[in-house]
């Protein structure tokens, strides 16, 4: 039998242990710690994970480019038309289709002068020679921008043509410094013809396709946020010719803004296509 003295010591020890346990619990609560008693069933709560903020869902990956292959059918597409409505490529079956992808911006708030000149040049060619009728042709111009930006591009054409003419034909060429003279000669080579649009005149003889979501431009791997050192949303200047059966017969992707086939060359390509050779 345990004597009274030993029993008293045992009781005192148990009291001390209980007091120490209470101190630990109260100290943990004072420090902001949470003590959870796991339930008999269900997963154990991970406090570190619970403290993490919810992560936003991952963005879907960009669609993989599917470049068009010469000699194979051109993949169909549908885009809004600036002039109104929408256009589906397959709706033009029975006609040759010339699809042009101008660069658009060459720098922030600055349009590609060469692309714009070539656009006006083609419009003048159609006006003079009726090439769409002559070559059983439709011409599509695709921009990787929303409609308001396409509108701004069209509205900027008259002023840009005036700048080209003024650079080519300064009032006093002898007064130019060396840099300005070099620019004058370069413009004379790149832009041999003089075109003019009245202020406010909108030149839109061909369907202008609004690829604001860049679905077609990205699918063909043409859209860039940087190209030839220029960091701006733009397309690589490109040309596609699809025959009346919907087969891609010609493709050009630019290496720079100057390097592109002339319209005399493209019309010869159309002659070959129409001849069936």
């Amino acid at each position: 039998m345990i004597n009274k003295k030993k029993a008293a010591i045992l009781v005192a020890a148990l009291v001390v242990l209980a007091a120490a346990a209470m101190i630990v619990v109260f100290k943990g609560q004072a420090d902001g710690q949470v003590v959870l008693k796991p339930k008999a069933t269900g997963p154990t709560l991970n406090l570190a994970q619970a403290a993490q903020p919810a992560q936003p869902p991952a963005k879907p990956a960009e669609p993989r480019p599917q470049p068009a292959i010469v000699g194979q059918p051109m993949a169909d597409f549908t885009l809004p038309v600036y002039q109104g409505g929408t256009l589906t490529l397959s709706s033009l079956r029975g006609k040759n289709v010339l699809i042009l992808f101008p660069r658009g911006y060459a720098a922030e708030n600055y349009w590609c002068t060469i692309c714009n000149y070539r656009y006006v040049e083609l419009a003048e060619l159609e006006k003079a020679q009726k090439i769409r009728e002559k070559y059983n042709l439709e011409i599509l111009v695709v921009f990787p921008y929303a409609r308001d930006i396409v509108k701004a591009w069209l509205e900027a054409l008259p002023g840009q043509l005036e700048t080209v003419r003024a650079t080519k034909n300064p009032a006093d060429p002898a007064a130019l410094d060396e840099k300005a003279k070099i620019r004058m000669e370069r413009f004379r080579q790149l832009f041999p013809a003089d075109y003019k649009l009245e202020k406010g005149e909108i030149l839109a003889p061909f369907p202008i396709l609004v690829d604001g979501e860049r679905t077609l431009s990205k699918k063909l791997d043409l859209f860039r946020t940087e190209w030839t050192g220029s960091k701006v949303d733009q397309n690589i200047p490109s040309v596609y010719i699809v025959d009346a059966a919907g087969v891609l017969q010609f493709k050009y992707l630019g290496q720079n803004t100057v390097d592109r086939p002339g319209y005399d060359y493209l019309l010869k390509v159309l002659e070959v296509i129409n001849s069936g050779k």
Side-chain angles (χ1 to χ4, degrees):
M1 177 177 285
I2 302 175
N3 58 37
K4 292 183 179 181
K5 184 176 181 180
K6 289 184 178 181
I9 293 173
L10 180 59
V11 170
L14 290 174
V15 170
V16 170
L17 289 175
M22 293 295 292
I23 291 172
V24 170
V25 170
F26 285 122
K27 186 176 185 302
Q29 292 178 345
D31 290 341
Q33 298 175 356
V34 180
V35 179
L36 297 177
K37 182 179 179 182
K39 296 181 179 179
T41 60
T44 302
L45 177 63
N46 187 321
L47 295 181
Q49 290 179 348
Q52 293 293 329
Q55 297 296 321
K59 292 183 178 180
E62 287 283 345
R64 186 175 181 179
Q66 297 176 322
I69 307 299
V70 172
Q72 295 185 11
M74 184 79 173
D76 205 10
F77 60 81
T78 300
L79 286 174
V81 180
Y82 175 81
Q83 293 91 331
T86 60
L87 187 144
T88 299
L89 178 63
S90 59
S91 70
L92 300 175
R93 200 63 52 83
K95 288 186 176 182
N96 300 311
V97 184
L98 173 63
I99 311 174
L100 302 175
F101 292 82
R103 183 178 184 181
Y105 283 118
E108 188 174 357
N109 298 319
Y110 182 80
W111 301 111
C112 173
T113 306
I114 296 174
C115 291
N116 292 6
Y117 176 89
R118 293 297 304 276
Y119 174 84
V120 178
E121 182 183 21
L122 183 59
E124 289 294 321
L125 185 62
E126 165 62 16
K127 182 178 178 181
Q129 299 186 26
K130 308 297 182 187
I131 59 174
R132 286 188 289 184
E133 180 181 346
K134 183 177 180 180
Y135 293 96
N136 185 33
L137 178 68
E138 184 55 276
I139 298 170
L140 308 178
V141 182
V142 185
F143 281 100
Y145 307 122
R147 191 180 189 280
D148 59 333
I149 299 181
V150 175
K151 181 175 183 288
W153 177 82
L154 286 166
E155 292 174 341
L157 279 178
Q160 196 163 32
L161 293 176
E162 179 58 37
T163 299
V164 169
R165 286 198 310 275
T167 305
K168 288 168 51 181
N169 307 298
D172 187 2
L176 300 177
D177 60 24
E178 194 60 30
K179 185 176 180 180
K181 288 180 180 178
I182 293 174
R183 179 175 169 83
M184 175 186 70
E185 291 301 328
R186 178 172 172 78
F187 268 51
R188 288 179 175 179
Q189 292 176 6
L190 291 175
F191 315 117
D194 284 332
Y195 299 121
K196 182 178 181 179
L197 293 173
E198 297 300 326
K199 185 177 181 180
E201 182 179 353
I202 299 297
L203 182 66
F206 319 116
I208 299 176
L209 305 188
V210 181
D211 190 16
E213 299 297 323
R214 287 93 186 237
T215 52
L216 179 59
S217 299
K218 287 183 177 181
K219 182 177 181 180
L220 296 175
D221 199 22
L222 303 180
F223 180 73
R224 295 290 186 275
T225 56
E226 179 178 357
W227 189 68
T228 65
S230 175
K231 296 182 179 181
V232 68
D233 290 350
Q234 59 196 297
N235 268 341
I236 297 174
S238 306
V239 180
Y240 295 77
I241 299 179
V242 181
D243 67 16
V247 176
L248 181 66
Q249 297 292 352
F250 177 88
K251 178 175 73 171
Y252 153 87
L253 277 67
Q255 291 182 295
N256 56 52
T257 53
V258 178
D259 170 34
R260 66 186 69 194
Y263 292 123
D264 54 346
Y265 181 87
L266 294 177
L267 293 181
K268 289 178 181 177
V269 172
L270 285 165
E271 288 176 359
V272 172
I273 292 173
N274 285 336
S275 71
K277 295 180 181 180

